[in-house]
Amino acid sequence: MSELFDAVDALVASRSPLPSAEERKRLRVAHGLTLDDVAGALKVRRATVSAWESTKKPTEPRGPEREAYARLLKQLAELYPAPAMPEKPAASVPAAFTGVPVPAGEMPEVPDALIDEVEASEAAAMTATENTQTAASVAAAPAAATRPASTTRASSTSRRPGAKKAAPAGTPAGGADLRFENGPLAVVDVEDGKVLAYCVGGLVLEVPAKSLPSLVDWTLREAKLGQPKLAGPGKDADPLIVLTEAALERYGLPVTLTEEEKHAGRIPEGHKVIKQLARAEWKLTKRGFGPWARIYRPATGSERACVQLCIPSWNALDTRHWGEAGQLLPAELARVLGVYASRVMTPRGSTAVTGLELMTALHPPTRASEPDATGKRRSEHNPGSLGKDAIDPMNWPPCEVPDGHPVLKDLPRFHVRGPAEKLFEEAYDWARPMTDAECTLRHLVGIDVNMAFAAGANGLNVGLGAPTHVTNPVFDPKLPGSWLVDLSHVDLSRVKVGKDKWADLDASLLPSPFTPKGERPEGPAWYATPTVAYAQELGYEVRPIEAWVRYENGRYLDGWYNRLRDAFLATMADLGVDADLAPADFLAAMDGYKERDPELAIVVSAIKATVKGGLGKLRERPRGEGWRPGEPWRALSRPTWRPDIRAAVISRTRINLHRKIVKHAAFTGQYPIAILSDCVVYATDGTSPLDFLPYRDGKPLPGGFKLGINPGLVKHEGTQEVLWGEEVRERFNAPELNLARYIKDGTVTDVDNGE
């Protein structure tokens, strides 16, 4: 009987209609299959499959091949349904794809653009009305970006009817911006001799460009790529083109860089592709043609003519932050970068560069003024931003700058600045030997603060203008600045933990909140405002000797924090970790969350790196270029070179963590044995954070650690046995080895006296 059923199924399949040739190709590409893959599975020639997908004169499969091919297409159609038809099909066809294609090699006229700064000419073209859209408007990424991306093949002169796209995140209310209806970016690849651009939401465009200059022209004239500005006085994001290895070969670029080119960060100026760009009157920024190249034409008006390139095989997507993104198929990579772009911003370089650019995008340094008597506008400082002239880069407070800064050029060559000369606000790297009682416990459990540095930036008052030097000032916890003060008298054995409430603690088991290594200060030292304010909070008097304070200040990082927080929470929710889960459910949801959607897990990693990298860029050090101590370096000229803001964020992050540790110790009598940045390790008998965090009826200790995904709350970092910790410390003869560094998986590497 089963044989009869099989025969009937084969008979039906032999007459069942197959989708159109275009749909067959769409389904194959959507699943990342090549012609060879399908041909091998069906045991036919590659040319046969290609003929089945030919849009000119498709052939029809016959016999058993038709049955198997129909089965394949049916399963793919279930995974990648065709896009819904819009109500008005004619309106969905972009004008740029209905005209005559630009012949390859011809250079269409493109308006000149502004590339690096907002000039007065651009400001004059702006309106004075500010767009109130901020990071709080970040919505969930397009629905298509949270499931396997379906792919629609379209040429540069036609787009598949019915392709319906969600508006990119950040688009003003009222509908998608038609200038950027195909999303912020495209991954350009070559398949079957054709150049294809994989966009977000599964859209695929056929690219006619046969040279890199032509690709730049096509991107600006026809691709409709880009992203609307994040703030009223800002500027729209330039389109991003990601080049695969096949695309690099097609356009005459090396697939990988030589060691010399890696060191230089670019290909040589004499490369033939750079000459092609020069002949076409395109320019490169000072960094040249590297992994994140920017190609533009000089500005003659407010219209921009700039395209950003991303080259994964040149290590544009650092594996420390982007994981295996560079190895993904084009459609998958477009999805990963598209989700990141919609929720954070279009990448402008590394995650660190993007983190810094996000600050500027949310608070542009200039805006258009009100019209004067003649009706003209001019460029003026945008209130609440870091303006160009806020601080003279050559006139920084000596205590706030890193070694080698020009203001320190008169110091002796080998002089080492101490705490009374240098502001040293860094994250914790502290550990202590375990007590006898702790050694009798069974496990070490690590908890990690989610987006700790982002939480430290939230609501933080930072300086916006120039610093003022004062002597013997009265400390003001609301005034951002750097303070020279002696905090050696603060005794952690008795601290204030609430209004008129004091606690007696074992100070020998606690790190000092005032130094990264947890050592008690020995005299006057420079501290950021949050550190000094915490000494007051603990119940001790502070009397600064001198200070550099900033009377012009504001919560500059709030919008930056909100956007990154929303991006992180939305992506974690897509991975099944919601913000309102009960503690036990949260721990269960976090278990293996990366495996649920590895692509979105990459986005989470990139968002976290954007936070840390962006803050690190606020104190960027020299990067080669023949720099010598005492000479200025390129980063000093940026309004966003602000080591004082970085120090304040790190100070507040460290203090936030210490406050929770003190609350926990006062309530439970438990003390940490190791702290590394935002990870804290406790000894306990159980294996879960719930075995030592003091929850009562599902409610955590007020002011203490709380499990959850929101920034500032904690998650489970890892659990190891106490015997493991003691064995590791004994093996390396390091009784104070920082076990927080290895608690996640227990693998111990690169040990050097605990560093």
Side-chain angles (χ1 to χ4, degrees):
M1 183 66 71
S2 61
E3 294 180 357
L4 292 176
F5 288 166
D6 292 341
V8 170
D9 291 343
L11 185 62
V12 173
S14 67
R15 296 292 186 271
S16 61
L18 296 176
S20 66
E22 183 180 10
E23 178 67 3
R24 300 171 194 175
K25 197 170 187 179
R26 181 189 77 82
L27 292 172
R28 174 178 62 80
V29 173
H31 202 60
L33 299 176
T34 65
L35 292 172
D36 289 328
D37 292 336
V38 178
L42 300 181
K43 294 181 171 49
V44 297
R45 294 185 302 117
R46 183 179 186 276
T48 301
V49 180
S50 179
W52 293 345
E53 296 181 355
S54 173
T55 56
K56 294 182 179 180
K57 191 176 181 181
T59 61
E60 292 295 309
R62 298 179 180 179
E65 290 83 7
R66 181 187 178 93
E67 178 183 354
Y69 191 44
R71 185 182 182 88
L72 170 66
L73 295 176
K74 180 181 179 181
Q75 293 182 10
L76 292 179
E78 293 175 354
L79 291 173
Y80 310 102
M85 294 290 289
E87 295 180 3
K88 297 180 180 180
S92 68
V93 182
F97 296 100
T98 58
V100 179
V102 179
E106 292 190 12
M107 297 296 297
E109 295 183 4
V110 179
D112 291 341
L114 183 66
I115 177 61
D116 285 325
E117 299 292 345
V118 180
E119 301 289 352
S121 60
E122 182 179 15
M126 296 180 183
T127 63
T129 303
E130 292 190 17
N131 187 335
T132 58
Q133 180 188 3
T134 64
S137 67
V138 177
T146 61
R147 58 179 181 269
S150 61
T151 313
T152 302
R153 178 68 50 80
S155 69
S156 62
T157 58
S158 64
R159 183 176 168 194
R160 177 176 173 81
K164 187 176 181 180
K165 293 174 54 58
T171 302
D177 192 325
L178 294 181
R179 297 172 301 159
F180 312 127
E181 62 177 311
N182 291 332
L185 55 91
V187 180
V188 175
D189 191 29
V190 179
E191 182 181 335
D192 300 335
K194 294 183 178 180
V195 182
L196 305 175
Y198 291 78
C199 306
V200 298
L203 177 69
V204 181
L205 307 175
E206 191 167 308
V207 183
K210 298 186 182 299
S211 66
L212 192 64
S214 297
L215 176 63
V216 175
D217 284 334
W218 174 84
T219 301
L220 293 170
R221 286 175 61 92
E222 300 186 50
K224 290 188 175 293
L225 297 174
Q227 192 174 36
K229 58 189 177 182
L230 298 180
K235 52 189 177 183
D236 299 326
D238 299 315
L240 174 65
I241 295 295
V242 185
L243 298 178
T244 65
E245 294 183 8
L248 292 173
E249 292 179 341
R250 168 60 65 92
Y251 292 121
L253 290 164
V255 172
T256 59
L257 299 179
T258 65
E259 289 301 321
E260 183 178 352
E261 290 168 345
K262 289 179 182 178
H263 181 72
R266 67 185 78 184
I267 59 177
E269 296 293 331
H271 193 280
K272 63 179 181 180
V273 172
I274 296 182
K275 292 180 179 179
Q276 290 176 0
L277 292 169
R279 286 195 297 270
E281 299 182 349
W282 290 106
K283 295 182 179 295
L284 295 165
T285 58
K286 293 180 180 179
R287 294 200 178 277
F289 203 122
W292 290 93
R294 296 186 67 78
I295 303 173
Y296 71 100
R297 281 186 175 138
T300 57
S302 61
E303 294 292 327
R304 295 181 60 80
C306 177
V307 173
Q308 172 109 33
L309 298 184
C310 168
I311 306 178
S313 64
W314 293 7
N315 198 36
L317 302 175
D318 192 326
T319 56
R320 293 173 299 175
H321 310 138
W322 290 100
E324 300 301 319
Q327 306 301 317
L328 295 176
L329 295 173
E332 296 170 340
L333 181 56
R335 181 196 178 209
V336 168
L337 294 176
V339 173
Y340 178 89
S342 67
R343 292 176 173 173
V344 180
M345 69 179 299
T346 303
R348 289 288 306 271
S350 66
T351 50
V353 170
T354 304
L356 195 69
E357 290 291 333
L358 180 61
M359 297 180 194
T360 302
L362 294 169
H363 290 285
T366 59
R367 69 175 184 181
S369 68
E370 294 292 337
D372 58 19
T374 63
K376 292 184 178 181
R377 302 179 186 271
R378 57 183 177 81
S379 176
E380 67 177 13
H381 173 65
N382 182 30
S385 71
L386 302 179
K388 296 180 182 179
D389 303 322
I391 300 179
D392 181 354
M394 299 299 107
N395 192 32
W396 269 89
C399 64
E400 293 181 347
V401 299
D403 295 337
H405 191 278
V407 302
L408 304 175
K409 63 182 179 180
D410 294 331
L411 287 178
R413 182 177 180 185
F414 298 107
H415 177 74
V416 178
R417 293 186 294 162
E421 299 173 280
K422 179 181 180 181
L423 178 67
F424 191 65
E425 296 283 11
E426 298 295 339
Y428 268 129
D429 186 355
W430 170 87
R432 63 169 176 81
M434 282 186 275
T435 65
D436 292 341
E438 288 167 339
C439 288
T440 64
L441 302 176
R442 298 178 59 189
H443 296 101
L444 301 175
V445 179
I447 53 177
D448 181 80
V449 182
N450 294 312
M451 304 243 321
F453 294 100
N458 182 31
L460 180 64
N461 209 32
V462 300
L464 301 178
T468 300
H469 184 252
V470 292
T471 56
N472 298 318
V474 175
F475 177 69
D476 182 354
K478 296 182 180 179
L479 187 60
S482 300
W483 309 78
L484 180 62
V485 58
D486 188 351
L487 300 180
S488 60
H489 63 289
V490 177
D491 185 4
L492 294 181
S493 62
R494 183 165 176 77
V495 296
K496 198 173 183 179
V497 293
K499 186 177 181 181
D500 300 325
K501 185 177 180 181
W502 291 75
D504 294 322
L505 304 174
D506 188 343
S508 66
L509 302 180
L510 285 172
S512 167
F514 309 127
T515 61
K517 290 294 184 180
E519 302 164 343
R520 187 168 179 169
E522 298 179 350
W526 285 98
Y527 303 102
T529 297
T531 302
V532 185
Y534 185 57
Q536 274 191 340
E537 180 184 324
L538 292 176
Y540 292 87
E541 184 181 14
V542 294
R543 294 181 179 179
I545 301 169
E546 61 177 300
W548 290 90
V549 296
R550 291 169 170 84
Y551 294 109
E552 182 186 349
N553 51 69
R555 293 166 59 160
Y556 173 76
L557 294 173
D558 274 9
W560 182 81
Y561 162 78
N562 288 334
R563 189 164 181 88
L564 290 167
R565 175 205 60 198
D566 292 348
F568 174 70
L569 293 180
T571 311
M572 290 302 296
D574 290 339
L575 288 165
V577 186
D578 295 315
D580 56 355
L581 291 174
D585 295 335
F586 166 71
L587 292 175
M590 287 294 294
D591 187 17
Y593 77 91
K594 294 182 179 179
E595 284 70 34
R596 292 175 201 142
D597 191 328
E599 293 172 16
L600 287 183
I602 292 174
V603 178
V604 170
S605 173
I607 293 171
K608 292 179 180 179
T610 303
V611 172
K612 291 186 177 181
L615 294 173
K617 276 281 185 180
L618 291 170
R619 198 193 65 166
E620 184 176 353
R621 303 297 302 275
R623 303 177 63 186
E625 303 174 356
W627 174 82
R628 294 181 178 181
E631 296 178 349
W633 58 92
R634 182 183 300 175
L636 296 184
S637 61
R638 292 195 318 248
T640 49
W641 192 82
R642 293 297 301 271
D644 59 307
I645 295 180
R646 173 188 176 273
V649 172
I650 294 176
S651 164
R652 192 162 186 247
T653 303
R654 193 182 68 246
I655 294 307
N656 285 346
L657 184 60
H658 195 275
R659 183 182 294 110
K660 290 180 171 65
I661 290 170
V662 166
K663 293 274 189 180
H664 185 84
F667 189 81
T668 68
Q670 297 172 327
Y671 296 83
I673 66 165
I675 308 173
L676 182 66
S677 186
D678 47 11
C679 176
V680 188
V681 177
Y682 284 90
T684 179
D685 270 327
T687 60
S688 165
L690 285 175
D691 292 323
F692 70 93
L693 294 184
Y695 273 83
R696 285 186 177 178
D697 299 325
K699 297 181 179 180
L701 171 69
F705 295 109
K706 178 182 178 181
L707 289 166
I709 196 59
N710 278 292
L713 305 189
V714 299
K715 66 178 186 295
H716 184 203
E717 180 68 5
T719 296
Q720 303 297 329
E721 294 184 352
V722 167
L723 292 177
W724 163 85
E726 288 299 278
E727 188 274 330
V728 167
R729 286 177 164 179
E730 183 178 348
R731 187 198 325 163
F732 294 101
N733 192 26
E736 296 185 7
L737 179 70
N738 195 331
L739 297 176
R741 193 184 305 275
Y742 316 108
I743 194 69
K744 189 168 189 176
D745 59 11
T747 303
V748 182
T749 58
D750 301 326
V751 173
D752 181 14
N753 294 326
E755 292 298 324

